[in-house]
Amino acid sequence: MTDSQPPVGLSEKAAARVKALIEQQGNPNLKLRLTISGGGCSGFQYGFDFDEEQKDDDIVVERDGVTMLVDPMSLLYISGAEVDFVEDLVGASFQVKNPNATASCGCGSSFSI
């Protein structure tokens, strides 16, 4: 992509948490992969995983030494979104602030458009 701003954002807190998790794993080749799949209580669900392999068509988002990968199909549903890491009384989790979502479940792990 030639745009100066990536199509999906990664907050400073999310990047710091990913960096800490990668350090715990002891594998500096790991990258955070964000995927969208059918399912969840609202229709689609977010998925987070670590991956060493970057595919040719992946969208690459870098921040503070951390790389996040998004496949083109998932990007259709989350373009303009930002991944954040939130800690509150209920717990800690990655959350996606998705401007394309018209509804989401209470836990924030699934959405509809």
Side-chain angles (χ1 to χ4, degrees):
M1 304 225 93
T2 58
D3 297 336
S4 60
Q5 186 162 344
V8 178
L10 185 65
S11 75
E12 184 178 347
K13 287 172 65 175
R17 181 63 177 160
V18 170
K19 189 176 217 173
L21 291 170
I22 290 172
E23 288 173 359
Q24 285 177 2
Q25 293 295 317
N27 182 351
N29 297 318
L30 292 176
K31 299 160 185 57
L32 179 68
R33 181 171 291 281
L34 169 58
T35 58
I36 304 300
S37 61
C41 52
S42 294
F44 295 98
Q45 60 188 1
Y46 303 108
F48 295 97
D49 203 359
F50 284 116
D51 198 341
E52 289 185 35
E53 181 182 337
Q54 179 178 323
K55 298 179 178 124
D56 291 338
D57 60 349
D58 279 338
I59 287 74
V60 178
V61 178
E62 295 181 339
R63 174 151 195 181
D64 301 334
V66 170
T67 301
M68 179 172 69
L69 306 173
V70 181
D71 65 272
M73 186 62 75
S74 294
L75 185 63
L76 294 173
Y77 300 101
I78 58 170
S79 183
E82 181 181 55
V83 176
D84 195 12
F85 184 72
V86 178
E87 295 179 274
D88 56 24
L89 293 175
V90 179
S93 64
F94 288 102
Q95 295 184 359
V96 180
K97 297 173 184 173
N98 187 350
N100 305 302
T102 58
S104 62
C105 67
C107 66
S109 65
S110 68
F111 67 101
S112 61
I113 55 172

